[in-house]
Amino acid sequence: MKIVTICGAGIGSSGILKVNAERVLQKLDIEAEVVAADIGSVKAVADDAQVILTSAEFVDAIGPTFADVIVIENFFDQQELTEKLERALG
């Protein structure tokens, strides 16, 4: 399973979201490759992803995708991440 975290530059918010998603996945005992990327490379990086995690401002820029696009309001809120990942992957 591949999960891609997206932000504008691919090094700040997406990196934080990547680390927190990995922590949640470990607690849920779900194995996945989590990749942080910038919005400009989303098509190349996320073409084989099952889930894309991002903020609301980037949803339209992601464009058509087979992945579930999950909007995260607070990248530091592990409860929100847990609930949304369980819903998407469960």
Side-chain angles (χ1 to χ4, degrees):
M1 174 183 316
K2 184 176 182 181
I3 297 173
V4 178
T5 62
I6 299 292
C7 73
I11 56 173
S13 301
S14 63
I16 292 167
L17 190 53
K18 175 186 183 298
V19 169
N20 286 328
E22 288 171 336
R23 289 179 181 156
V24 167
L25 291 167
Q26 185 175 13
K27 287 181 187 172
L28 296 174
D29 198 27
I30 297 173
E31 289 187 34
E33 173 190 13
V34 184
V35 178
D38 65 284
I39 193 64
S41 63
V42 66
K43 297 221 181 302
V45 175
D47 65 338
D48 59 345
Q50 285 74 40
V51 174
I52 298 172
L53 301 173
T54 190
S55 60
E57 68 186 287
F58 296 115
V59 171
D60 289 340
I62 291 171
T65 179
F66 292 108
D68 288 333
V69 178
I70 300 174
V71 173
I72 303 298
E73 302 295 330
N74 181 346
F75 288 8
F76 294 99
D77 185 349
Q78 296 215 355
Q79 184 63 35
E80 178 188 6
L81 266 171
T82 300
E83 290 171 6
K84 290 183 175 178
L85 282 172
E86 280 184 317
R87 196 174 316 132
L89 303 174

